[in-house]
Amino acid sequence: MKNLNFQQKTLLFGASSVVGIMEHEGPLGEYYDCFSETDLFGAKTWEQAETQMVRKTLEIGMHKCGFGAEKLDFLLGGDLLNQCTASSHGCAAFSVPFLGLYGACSTFAEGLLLGAQLLQNDALNLGGVFASSHFSTAERQYRFPLEYGCQRTPTSQRTVTGCGAAFLRKTKEDGSHLPRITKGRIGTIVDGGIKDANHMGAAMAPAAADTLVSFLKETGESPCDYDLILTGDLGQVGAKLFAELCAQRGVLLGAEFRDCGTAIFSEEQDVHAGASGCGCSAVYVCGYLEKIWKERGFRRILLLGTGALLSPLTVQQGLTIPAVAHLVCLEKE
Amino acid sequence: MQYLLAFVVGGLFCAIGEILILKTKLTPARILVGYVVSGVVLSALGLYGTLVDIAGAGATVPLTGFGHLLAQGVREAVDKNGLFGAITGGLEACAGGIGSVIFFALFTSLFFQSKPERKHKTPKISIYKR
Protein backbone atom coordinates (compact mmCIF):
# COMPACT_ATOMS: atom_id res chain seq x y z
CA MET A 1 0.00 0.00 0.00
CA LYS A 2 1.76 3.10 -1.19
CA ASN A 3 -0.91 5.79 -1.38
CA LEU A 4 -0.68 8.60 1.17
CA ASN A 5 -3.85 9.36 3.12
CA PHE A 6 -3.67 12.59 5.09
CA GLN A 7 -5.47 12.20 8.41
CA GLN A 8 -5.26 15.85 9.42
CA LYS A 9 -7.32 18.05 7.11
CA THR A 10 -4.97 20.22 5.04
CA LEU A 11 -6.59 23.22 3.41
CA LEU A 12 -5.29 24.93 0.29
CA PHE A 13 -6.60 28.28 1.46
CA GLY A 14 -4.90 30.74 -0.84
CA ALA A 15 -2.81 30.97 -3.97
CA SER A 16 -1.07 33.49 -6.20
CA SER A 17 0.50 33.45 -9.64
CA VAL A 18 2.81 35.77 -11.56
CA VAL A 19 3.66 35.23 -15.21
CA GLY A 20 5.52 36.59 -18.22
CA ILE A 21 4.10 38.39 -21.24
CA MET A 22 3.34 35.37 -23.40
CA GLU A 23 1.44 33.60 -20.66
CA HIS A 24 -0.49 36.81 -20.02
CA GLU A 25 -1.40 36.88 -23.73
CA GLY A 26 -2.50 33.25 -23.58
CA PRO A 27 -6.03 31.91 -23.11
CA LEU A 28 -5.76 31.97 -19.28
CA GLY A 29 -4.16 35.41 -19.11
CA GLU A 30 -6.90 37.07 -17.07
CA TYR A 31 -6.57 34.55 -14.21
CA TYR A 32 -3.03 35.39 -13.13
CA ASP A 33 -2.39 38.02 -10.47
CA CYS A 34 0.41 39.89 -12.19
CA PHE A 35 2.65 39.82 -15.27
CA SER A 36 5.78 41.43 -16.65
CA GLU A 37 5.70 42.90 -20.13
CA THR A 38 9.40 42.26 -20.71
CA ASP A 39 9.78 39.04 -18.67
CA LEU A 40 12.50 40.95 -16.79
CA PHE A 41 10.48 41.96 -13.69
CA GLY A 42 12.70 45.00 -13.34
CA ALA A 43 15.92 42.97 -13.10
CA LYS A 44 19.10 43.06 -15.20
CA THR A 45 19.50 39.39 -16.06
CA TRP A 46 17.04 36.57 -16.74
CA GLU A 47 18.13 34.65 -13.65
CA GLN A 48 17.62 37.70 -11.43
CA ALA A 49 14.27 38.23 -13.16
CA GLU A 50 13.12 34.77 -12.11
CA THR A 51 14.20 35.51 -8.54
CA GLN A 52 12.11 38.70 -8.59
CA MET A 53 9.17 36.78 -10.03
CA VAL A 54 9.31 34.29 -7.14
CA ARG A 55 9.55 37.08 -4.60
CA LYS A 56 6.60 38.90 -6.17
CA THR A 57 4.47 35.75 -6.18
CA LEU A 58 5.08 35.11 -2.50
CA GLU A 59 4.44 38.76 -1.62
CA ILE A 60 1.15 38.86 -3.50
CA GLY A 61 0.08 35.51 -2.05
CA MET A 62 0.73 36.46 1.55
CA HIS A 63 -1.00 39.80 0.99
CA LYS A 64 -4.06 38.08 -0.51
CA CYS A 65 -4.22 35.61 2.40
CA GLY A 66 -3.72 38.38 4.93
CA PHE A 67 -0.69 37.25 6.89
CA GLY A 68 2.97 38.15 7.12
CA ALA A 69 5.98 35.94 6.42
CA GLU A 70 6.65 35.45 10.13
CA LYS A 71 3.49 33.31 10.33
CA LEU A 72 4.83 30.73 7.88
CA ASP A 73 6.09 27.57 9.54
CA PHE A 74 7.75 26.47 6.31
CA LEU A 75 8.18 27.23 2.63
CA LEU A 76 8.76 24.51 0.07
CA GLY A 77 9.87 25.61 -3.35
CA GLY A 78 11.85 24.70 -6.41
CA ASP A 79 12.70 25.67 -9.96
CA LEU A 80 14.73 24.48 -12.92
CA LEU A 81 17.95 26.38 -12.38
CA ASN A 82 21.31 25.09 -11.20
CA GLN A 83 21.12 24.75 -7.43
CA CYS A 84 17.54 26.10 -7.56
CA THR A 85 18.75 29.61 -6.94
CA ALA A 86 15.57 31.33 -8.16
CA SER A 87 13.69 29.68 -5.29
CA SER A 88 16.28 30.19 -2.57
CA HIS A 89 17.11 33.77 -3.56
CA GLY A 90 13.44 34.51 -4.20
CA CYS A 91 12.36 33.70 -0.69
CA ALA A 92 15.56 34.75 1.09
CA ALA A 93 14.15 38.17 1.92
CA PHE A 94 11.31 36.64 3.92
CA SER A 95 13.55 34.83 6.42
CA VAL A 96 11.35 31.78 6.67
CA PRO A 97 12.18 28.11 7.25
CA PHE A 98 12.86 26.89 3.73
CA LEU A 99 13.23 23.51 2.06
CA GLY A 100 14.38 23.52 -1.55
CA LEU A 101 12.95 20.91 -3.91
CA TYR A 102 13.89 19.54 -7.28
CA GLY A 103 11.45 17.48 -9.27
CA ALA A 104 11.75 19.27 -12.60
CA CYS A 105 8.22 19.96 -13.79
CA SER A 106 6.72 17.81 -11.03
CA THR A 107 8.08 20.17 -8.34
CA PHE A 108 4.72 21.79 -7.58
CA ALA A 109 2.92 18.49 -7.04
CA GLU A 110 5.91 17.27 -5.03
CA GLY A 111 5.66 20.39 -2.88
CA LEU A 112 1.93 19.98 -2.24
CA LEU A 113 2.46 16.34 -1.22
CA LEU A 114 5.35 17.15 1.09
CA GLY A 115 3.60 20.24 2.45
CA ALA A 116 0.53 18.24 3.37
CA GLN A 117 2.71 15.58 4.97
CA LEU A 118 4.70 18.16 6.98
CA LEU A 119 1.44 19.60 8.29
CA GLN A 120 0.57 16.19 9.72
CA ASN A 121 3.20 17.04 12.32
CA ASP A 122 1.68 18.78 15.37
CA ALA A 123 4.45 21.37 15.48
CA LEU A 124 3.56 22.86 12.08
CA ASN A 125 0.36 24.68 11.12
CA LEU A 126 0.87 26.98 8.15
CA GLY A 127 3.07 26.52 5.12
CA GLY A 128 3.63 27.64 1.57
CA VAL A 129 4.51 25.72 -1.58
CA PHE A 130 5.77 27.33 -4.78
CA ALA A 131 7.37 26.39 -8.06
CA SER A 132 8.84 28.61 -10.72
CA SER A 133 10.26 28.50 -14.21
CA HIS A 134 11.36 31.10 -16.78
CA PHE A 135 11.67 30.60 -20.53
CA SER A 136 14.91 32.55 -20.91
CA THR A 137 16.73 30.98 -17.97
CA ALA A 138 15.63 27.49 -19.00
CA GLU A 139 16.86 28.04 -22.54
CA ARG A 140 20.27 29.17 -21.28
CA GLN A 141 20.48 26.31 -18.84
CA TYR A 142 19.17 23.39 -20.88
CA ARG A 143 19.61 24.34 -24.50
CA PHE A 144 21.22 27.56 -25.74
CA PRO A 145 21.12 31.21 -24.64
CA LEU A 146 18.54 33.38 -26.42
CA GLU A 147 21.31 35.08 -28.39
CA TYR A 148 22.02 31.81 -30.18
CA GLY A 149 18.71 32.12 -32.01
CA CYS A 150 18.30 28.43 -32.76
CA GLN A 151 15.28 26.91 -34.46
CA ARG A 152 12.93 24.76 -32.36
CA THR A 153 11.72 21.32 -33.42
CA PRO A 154 8.03 20.47 -33.83
CA THR A 155 7.99 18.31 -30.67
CA SER A 156 9.69 20.90 -28.48
CA GLN A 157 7.74 22.61 -25.69
CA ARG A 158 8.02 26.16 -24.43
CA THR A 159 9.03 26.65 -20.81
CA VAL A 160 6.42 28.71 -19.00
CA THR A 161 7.63 31.98 -17.50
CA GLY A 162 5.64 31.81 -14.32
CA CYS A 163 5.59 31.18 -10.61
CA GLY A 164 2.66 29.77 -8.67
CA ALA A 165 2.43 29.70 -4.88
CA ALA A 166 -0.14 27.90 -2.73
CA PHE A 167 -0.64 28.31 1.01
CA LEU A 168 -1.67 25.37 3.17
CA ARG A 169 -2.94 25.14 6.70
CA LYS A 170 -4.49 22.59 8.98
CA THR A 171 -8.09 22.84 10.05
CA LYS A 172 -10.31 21.08 12.51
CA GLU A 173 -13.51 22.44 10.97
CA ASP A 174 -15.71 20.33 8.77
CA GLY A 175 -17.41 21.27 5.52
CA SER A 176 -15.03 24.00 4.50
CA HIS A 177 -15.63 25.62 1.14
CA LEU A 178 -11.92 25.47 0.41
CA PRO A 179 -10.14 22.58 -1.32
CA ARG A 180 -8.36 20.07 0.89
CA ILE A 181 -5.42 17.85 0.13
CA THR A 182 -6.74 14.45 1.10
CA LYS A 183 -4.63 11.82 -0.63
CA GLY A 184 -1.51 11.52 -2.68
CA ARG A 185 1.10 9.24 -4.09
CA ILE A 186 4.84 9.61 -4.40
CA GLY A 187 5.72 8.72 -7.99
CA THR A 188 8.02 5.86 -8.89
CA ILE A 189 10.89 6.88 -11.12
CA VAL A 190 10.46 5.33 -14.58
CA ASP A 191 12.91 5.27 -17.47
CA GLY A 192 11.16 4.87 -20.81
CA GLY A 193 14.42 4.89 -22.78
CA ILE A 194 13.91 8.28 -24.45
CA LYS A 195 17.12 10.20 -25.17
CA ASP A 196 15.75 13.14 -27.11
CA ALA A 197 15.54 16.25 -24.93
CA ASN A 198 13.10 17.72 -27.44
CA HIS A 199 10.70 14.85 -26.79
CA MET A 200 10.09 15.18 -23.05
CA GLY A 201 6.38 14.40 -23.27
CA ALA A 202 7.20 10.90 -24.44
CA ALA A 203 9.77 10.54 -21.66
CA MET A 204 7.26 11.46 -18.94
CA ALA A 205 4.17 9.61 -20.13
CA PRO A 206 5.22 6.17 -18.78
CA ALA A 207 5.91 7.59 -15.30
CA ALA A 208 2.58 9.43 -15.28
CA ALA A 209 0.71 6.31 -16.37
CA ASP A 210 2.45 4.25 -13.70
CA THR A 211 1.52 6.64 -10.89
CA LEU A 212 -2.09 7.16 -11.95
CA VAL A 213 -2.83 3.50 -12.62
CA SER A 214 -1.21 2.38 -9.35
CA PHE A 215 -3.10 5.03 -7.38
CA LEU A 216 -6.47 4.14 -8.87
CA LYS A 217 -5.91 0.41 -8.47
CA GLU A 218 -5.18 0.88 -4.78
CA THR A 219 -8.22 3.07 -4.13
CA GLY A 220 -10.39 0.87 -6.34
CA GLU A 221 -11.61 3.89 -8.28
CA SER A 222 -11.70 4.83 -11.94
CA PRO A 223 -11.11 8.15 -13.75
CA CYS A 224 -14.82 9.03 -13.88
CA ASP A 225 -14.86 9.22 -10.05
CA TYR A 226 -12.95 12.47 -10.44
CA ASP A 227 -14.09 15.74 -11.98
CA LEU A 228 -10.65 16.55 -13.35
CA ILE A 229 -7.46 14.60 -13.88
CA LEU A 230 -4.78 17.14 -14.57
CA THR A 231 -1.31 16.29 -15.83
CA GLY A 232 1.50 18.82 -15.57
CA ASP A 233 3.09 19.24 -18.94
CA LEU A 234 2.87 16.20 -21.12
CA GLY A 235 2.05 18.40 -24.11
CA GLN A 236 0.13 17.21 -27.14
CA VAL A 237 2.41 14.32 -27.94
CA GLY A 238 2.87 13.12 -24.36
CA ALA A 239 -0.81 13.41 -23.46
CA LYS A 240 -1.79 11.11 -26.30
CA LEU A 241 0.84 8.58 -25.29
CA PHE A 242 -0.22 8.81 -21.64
CA ALA A 243 -3.86 8.07 -22.51
CA GLU A 244 -2.78 5.07 -24.58
CA LEU A 245 -0.54 3.69 -21.83
CA CYS A 246 -3.33 4.04 -19.27
CA ALA A 247 -5.81 2.34 -21.60
CA GLN A 248 -3.41 -0.57 -22.03
CA ARG A 249 -3.52 -1.06 -18.26
CA GLY A 250 -7.29 -0.88 -18.06
CA VAL A 251 -7.70 2.80 -17.12
CA LEU A 252 -9.79 4.70 -19.66
CA LEU A 253 -9.47 8.47 -19.58
CA GLY A 254 -12.38 10.54 -20.78
CA ALA A 255 -13.40 14.17 -20.76
CA GLU A 256 -12.07 14.62 -17.23
CA PHE A 257 -8.48 14.44 -18.51
CA ARG A 258 -6.72 17.71 -19.18
CA ASP A 259 -3.07 18.67 -19.56
CA CYS A 260 -1.82 22.00 -18.22
CA GLY A 261 0.78 22.06 -20.97
CA THR A 262 -1.81 22.30 -23.73
CA ALA A 263 -3.89 24.93 -21.93
CA ILE A 264 -1.44 27.70 -21.11
CA PHE A 265 -0.79 28.84 -24.68
CA SER A 266 -3.08 29.08 -27.69
CA GLU A 267 -2.52 27.65 -31.18
CA GLU A 268 -1.71 31.09 -32.56
CA GLN A 269 1.16 31.51 -30.14
CA ASP A 270 2.96 28.72 -32.03
CA VAL A 271 4.59 26.90 -29.15
CA HIS A 272 4.77 23.60 -31.04
CA ALA A 273 4.00 20.79 -28.60
CA GLY A 274 2.79 22.94 -25.70
CA ALA A 275 3.97 24.46 -22.43
CA SER A 276 6.34 22.93 -19.90
CA GLY A 277 8.34 23.85 -16.80
CA CYS A 278 7.75 23.91 -13.05
CA GLY A 279 5.65 27.01 -13.50
CA CYS A 280 3.28 25.28 -15.90
CA SER A 281 1.25 23.26 -13.40
CA ALA A 282 1.92 25.82 -10.66
CA VAL A 283 0.33 28.79 -12.45
CA TYR A 284 -2.47 26.64 -13.83
CA VAL A 285 -3.48 25.48 -10.36
CA CYS A 286 -2.71 28.71 -8.48
CA GLY A 287 -4.04 31.05 -11.15
CA TYR A 288 -6.76 29.43 -13.21
CA LEU A 289 -7.97 26.48 -11.18
CA GLU A 290 -8.15 28.35 -7.91
CA LYS A 291 -10.57 30.84 -9.48
CA ILE A 292 -12.78 28.57 -11.57
CA TRP A 293 -13.05 25.76 -9.04
CA LYS A 294 -16.23 27.14 -7.58
CA GLU A 295 -17.76 28.15 -10.95
CA ARG A 296 -17.37 24.71 -12.46
CA GLY A 297 -18.59 22.85 -9.41
CA PHE A 298 -15.55 20.62 -9.24
CA ARG A 299 -15.42 18.42 -6.17
CA ARG A 300 -12.54 16.03 -6.72
CA ILE A 301 -9.39 16.78 -8.67
CA LEU A 302 -6.25 14.75 -9.26
CA LEU A 303 -3.10 16.71 -10.02
CA LEU A 304 -0.38 14.61 -11.64
CA GLY A 305 2.80 16.65 -11.78
CA THR A 306 5.20 15.17 -14.34
CA GLY A 307 8.96 15.70 -14.28
CA ALA A 308 11.62 14.73 -16.83
CA LEU A 309 14.84 14.22 -14.89
CA LEU A 310 17.58 15.31 -17.22
CA SER A 311 20.44 17.78 -17.19
CA PRO A 312 22.27 19.36 -20.12
CA LEU A 313 25.21 17.07 -19.37
CA THR A 314 23.21 13.84 -19.35
CA VAL A 315 21.83 14.81 -22.75
CA GLN A 316 25.27 15.59 -24.12
CA GLN A 317 26.53 12.27 -22.82
CA GLY A 318 23.74 10.50 -24.65
CA LEU A 319 21.96 9.16 -21.58
CA THR A 320 18.26 8.34 -21.36
CA ILE A 321 15.75 10.58 -19.58
CA PRO A 322 14.06 9.01 -16.53
CA ALA A 323 10.88 10.65 -15.29
CA VAL A 324 8.70 10.81 -12.20
CA ALA A 325 5.08 11.81 -11.66
CA HIS A 326 3.65 12.75 -8.27
CA LEU A 327 -0.07 12.63 -7.60
CA VAL A 328 -2.05 14.93 -5.30
CA CYS A 329 -5.76 14.56 -4.66
CA LEU A 330 -7.64 17.81 -3.97
CA GLU A 331 -11.23 17.59 -2.74
CA LYS A 332 -13.94 20.05 -1.78
CA GLU A 333 -17.25 19.51 -0.11
CA MET B 1 21.00 35.73 -63.40
CA GLN B 2 23.74 35.39 -60.79
CA TYR B 3 21.41 36.90 -58.21
CA LEU B 4 18.82 34.26 -59.00
CA LEU B 5 21.33 31.42 -58.71
CA ALA B 6 22.69 32.81 -55.43
CA PHE B 7 19.14 32.98 -54.09
CA VAL B 8 18.21 29.47 -55.20
CA VAL B 9 21.39 27.72 -54.06
CA GLY B 10 21.56 29.60 -50.74
CA GLY B 11 17.89 28.90 -50.22
CA LEU B 12 18.37 25.21 -50.92
CA PHE B 13 21.05 24.98 -48.23
CA CYS B 14 18.60 26.58 -45.79
CA ALA B 15 15.77 24.31 -46.87
CA ILE B 16 17.93 21.23 -46.25
CA GLY B 17 18.66 22.55 -42.77
CA GLU B 18 14.95 23.09 -42.10
CA ILE B 19 14.09 19.56 -43.27
CA LEU B 20 16.78 18.19 -40.94
CA ILE B 21 15.24 20.11 -38.02
CA LEU B 22 11.71 19.00 -38.80
CA LYS B 23 12.28 15.40 -39.78
CA THR B 24 15.29 14.22 -37.82
CA LYS B 25 16.41 14.23 -34.19
CA LEU B 26 19.59 16.14 -35.04
CA THR B 27 20.17 19.12 -32.79
CA PRO B 28 20.92 22.50 -34.40
CA ALA B 29 24.52 22.22 -33.23
CA ARG B 30 24.97 18.89 -35.01
CA ILE B 31 23.43 20.25 -38.18
CA LEU B 32 25.75 23.25 -38.18
CA VAL B 33 28.82 21.10 -37.59
CA GLY B 34 27.59 18.74 -40.31
CA TYR B 35 27.41 21.67 -42.71
CA VAL B 36 30.97 22.77 -41.95
CA VAL B 37 32.32 19.24 -42.38
CA SER B 38 30.34 18.74 -45.60
CA GLY B 39 31.82 21.97 -46.91
CA VAL B 40 35.32 20.74 -46.14
CA VAL B 41 34.71 17.37 -47.84
CA LEU B 42 33.03 18.87 -50.92
CA SER B 43 35.85 21.36 -51.20
CA ALA B 44 38.50 18.66 -50.93
CA LEU B 45 36.76 16.81 -53.75
CA GLY B 46 36.92 19.97 -55.85
CA LEU B 47 33.12 20.19 -56.11
CA TYR B 48 32.49 23.16 -53.85
CA GLY B 49 34.79 25.47 -55.81
CA THR B 50 32.59 24.89 -58.88
CA LEU B 51 29.47 25.65 -56.84
CA VAL B 52 30.98 28.95 -55.68
CA ASP B 53 31.73 29.88 -59.31
CA ILE B 54 28.11 29.19 -60.24
CA ALA B 55 26.24 30.58 -57.24
CA GLY B 56 28.59 33.11 -55.66
CA ALA B 57 27.35 34.22 -52.26
CA GLY B 58 24.68 31.56 -52.36
CA ALA B 59 27.51 29.07 -51.78
CA THR B 60 29.90 31.15 -49.66
CA VAL B 61 27.43 32.56 -47.13
CA PRO B 62 25.91 29.27 -45.84
CA LEU B 63 28.03 27.41 -43.34
CA THR B 64 29.20 24.92 -45.97
CA GLY B 65 31.03 27.91 -47.43
CA PHE B 66 32.92 28.24 -44.17
CA GLY B 67 34.02 24.62 -44.50
CA HIS B 68 35.13 25.40 -48.05
CA LEU B 69 37.16 28.34 -46.76
CA LEU B 70 38.80 26.13 -44.13
CA ALA B 71 39.73 23.51 -46.71
CA GLN B 72 41.12 26.11 -49.14
CA GLY B 73 43.16 27.69 -46.39
CA VAL B 74 44.67 24.35 -45.40
CA ARG B 75 45.51 23.56 -49.02
CA GLU B 76 47.30 26.88 -49.54
CA ALA B 77 49.17 26.72 -46.25
CA VAL B 78 50.37 23.17 -46.90
CA ASP B 79 51.63 24.27 -50.33
CA LYS B 80 53.50 27.13 -48.65
CA ASN B 81 54.70 25.68 -45.35
CA GLY B 82 54.49 21.95 -45.74
CA LEU B 83 52.59 19.72 -43.34
CA PHE B 84 52.59 22.36 -40.59
CA GLY B 85 50.15 24.22 -42.80
CA ALA B 86 47.54 21.60 -41.99
CA ILE B 87 47.31 23.10 -38.50
CA THR B 88 47.65 26.81 -39.27
CA GLY B 89 45.97 27.03 -42.66
CA GLY B 90 42.32 26.73 -41.64
CA LEU B 91 42.34 29.42 -38.98
CA GLU B 92 44.49 31.75 -41.10
CA ALA B 93 41.94 31.68 -43.89
CA CYS B 94 39.02 32.27 -41.52
CA ALA B 95 40.75 34.85 -39.35
CA GLY B 96 38.87 37.72 -40.95
CA GLY B 97 35.51 36.03 -40.52
CA ILE B 98 36.09 34.90 -36.94
CA GLY B 99 37.56 38.24 -35.87
CA SER B 100 34.66 40.21 -37.24
CA VAL B 101 32.13 37.81 -35.69
CA ILE B 102 33.68 38.33 -32.25
CA PHE B 103 33.65 42.08 -32.72
CA PHE B 104 30.06 42.25 -33.92
CA ALA B 105 28.84 39.88 -31.17
CA LEU B 106 30.49 42.01 -28.48
CA PHE B 107 29.18 45.23 -30.03
CA THR B 108 25.64 43.86 -30.25
CA SER B 109 25.67 42.56 -26.68
CA LEU B 110 26.81 45.97 -25.39
CA PHE B 111 24.03 47.88 -27.09
CA PHE B 112 21.11 45.47 -27.41
CA GLN B 113 19.14 43.26 -25.01
CA SER B 114 18.01 39.83 -26.13
CA LYS B 115 14.32 39.00 -25.84
CA PRO B 116 12.46 35.69 -25.74
CA GLU B 117 10.85 34.73 -29.02
CA ARG B 118 7.13 35.33 -29.27
CA LYS B 119 4.49 36.21 -31.82
CA HIS B 120 3.71 39.83 -30.99
CA LYS B 121 0.27 41.07 -30.10
CA THR B 122 -0.74 44.66 -29.25
CA PRO B 123 1.60 45.84 -26.49
CA LYS B 124 0.10 46.37 -23.02
CA ILE B 125 0.57 49.60 -21.10
CA SER B 126 2.10 48.88 -17.72
CA ILE B 127 4.87 46.57 -16.67
CA TYR B 128 3.24 45.53 -13.42
CA LYS B 129 -0.48 44.98 -13.43
CA ARG B 130 -2.35 44.47 -10.17
Side-chain angles (χ1 to χ4, degrees):
Chain A
M1 297 285 277
K2 294 236 180 83
N3 285 358
L4 299 171
N5 290 292
F6 301 113
Q7 302 300 333
Q8 302 239 38
K9 295 181 206 282
T10 311
L11 287 184
L12 200 164
F13 73 101
S16 55
S17 53
V18 172
V19 297
I21 181 73
M22 235 178 103
E23 291 71 20
H24 170 76
E25 289 174 348
L28 308 178
E30 56 185 301
Y31 295 99
Y32 310 120
D33 293 307
C34 179
F35 76 103
S36 165
E37 196 176 324
T38 56
D39 281 6
L40 274 170
F41 296 92
K44 284 196 191 145
T45 70
W46 300 118
E47 287 71 19
Q48 288 169 33
E50 193 178 343
T51 299
Q52 289 309 310
M53 183 173 68
V54 169
R55 192 186 55 79
K56 194 102 198 127
T57 311
L58 292 170
E59 262 175 16
I60 293 176
M62 289 189 285
H63 178 78
K64 273 167 82 171
C65 296
F67 64 84
E70 67 286 346
K71 290 269 165 28
L72 279 172
D73 289 325
F74 63 84
L75 253 188
L76 296 172
D79 57 79
L80 294 174
L81 299 187
N82 276 337
Q83 291 78 59
C84 292
T85 47
S87 306
S88 47
H89 286 223
C91 64
F94 302 111
S95 298
V96 284
F98 169 69
L99 287 165
L101 302 174
Y102 186 76
C105 314
S106 67
T107 303
F108 189 64
E110 180 186 347
L112 288 178
L113 261 187
L114 290 171
Q117 187 57 41
L118 277 175
L119 286 174
Q120 305 300 301
N121 187 305
D122 290 332
L124 306 170
N125 292 298
L126 174 61
V129 174
F130 68 89
S132 151
S133 58
H134 195 295
F135 172 71
S136 308
T137 60
E139 284 302 296
R140 180 165 19 225
Q141 168 112 354
Y142 286 92
R143 287 164 283 278
F144 303 103
L146 296 184
E147 291 80 353
Y148 187 71
C150 70
Q151 286 296 316
R152 302 154 60 85
T153 64
T155 55
S156 66
Q157 291 169 279
R158 188 189 169 98
T159 309
V160 162
T161 300
C163 178
F167 296 91
L168 312 174
R169 68 175 156 87
K170 281 201 289 244
T171 181
K172 298 256 186 281
E173 303 142 24
D174 273 321
S176 170
H177 63 286
L178 296 165
R180 289 177 299 134
I181 300 179
T182 52
K183 299 199 279 273
R185 189 177 181 98
I186 300 174
T188 301
I189 191 163
V190 175
D191 192 339
I194 303 282
K195 288 187 186 182
D196 185 3
N198 284 315
H199 217 150
M200 286 193 300
M204 297 186 290
D210 180 79
T211 305
L212 181 65
V213 169
S214 311
F215 176 82
L216 290 175
K217 284 217 152 65
E218 209 178 289
T219 57
E221 291 167 319
S222 65
C224 51
D225 290 317
Y226 291 91
D227 297 307
L228 187 59
I229 296 183
L230 202 57
T231 50
D233 59 347
L234 291 175
Q236 285 168 2
V237 177
K240 213 159 145 250
L241 182 59
F242 168 64
E244 281 166 16
L245 288 170
C246 288
Q248 278 170 18
R249 293 164 72 167
V251 169
L252 294 166
L253 296 166
E256 67 278 340
F257 170 47
R258 215 178 293 181
D259 181 63
C260 302
T262 54
I264 305 262
F265 298 118
S266 64
E267 282 284 328
E268 297 128 19
Q269 291 181 292
D270 193 23
V271 291
H272 301 184
S276 76
C278 304
C280 182
S281 50
V283 302
Y284 188 93
V285 173
C286 298
Y288 177 66
L289 199 63
E290 192 237 356
K291 295 182 175 79
I292 63 127
W293 192 301
K294 211 169 169 189
E295 274 175 51
R296 298 288 175 89
F298 290 143
R299 282 185 50 244
R300 307 182 80 212
I301 293 184
L302 284 184
L303 170 65
L304 202 55
T306 48
L309 303 169
L310 73 164
S311 81
L313 292 171
T314 60
V315 172
Q316 284 166 2
Q317 292 176 17
L319 302 174
T320 54
I321 304 173
V324 74
H326 302 299
L327 187 147
V328 181
C329 178
L330 297 157
E331 294 184 63
K332 206 151 74 115
E333 258 116 68
Chain B
M1 185 56 188
Q2 181 150 61
Y3 284 114
L4 180 66
L5 280 169
F7 179 77
V8 168
V9 171
L12 274 172
F13 278 120
C14 296
I16 292 171
E18 183 73 9
I19 291 171
L20 290 172
I21 286 269
L22 290 174
K23 299 291 179 191
T24 71
K25 292 208 170 95
L26 289 171
T27 62
R30 289 205 188 98
I31 295 173
L32 293 175
V33 169
Y35 267 45
V36 175
V37 171
S38 310
V40 172
V41 169
L42 288 172
S43 178
L45 293 172
L47 298 169
Y48 211 82
T50 325
L51 193 59
V52 172
D53 291 336
I54 299 171
T60 55
V61 167
L63 214 51
T64 37
F66 184 78
H68 171 62
L69 196 58
L70 282 173
Q72 273 193 315
V74 167
R75 209 186 258 121
E76 282 163 21
V78 166
D79 284 341
K80 226 177 14 175
N81 304 323
L83 212 48
F84 193 66
I87 299 174
T88 58
L91 275 180
E92 265 180 48
C94 303
I98 294 174
S100 47
V101 158
I102 293 175
F103 171 76
F104 285 121
L106 181 62
F107 181 86
T108 314
S109 68
L110 285 174
F111 293 105
F112 298 96
Q113 165 90 52
S114 57
K115 294 184 176 68
E117 61 178 71
R118 82 172 215 267
K119 289 227 160 99
H120 280 255
K121 279 191 179 183
T122 350
K124 309 284 175 186
I125 303 162
S126 64
I127 292 182
Y128 283 97
K129 178 192 85 149
R130 274 265 181 175

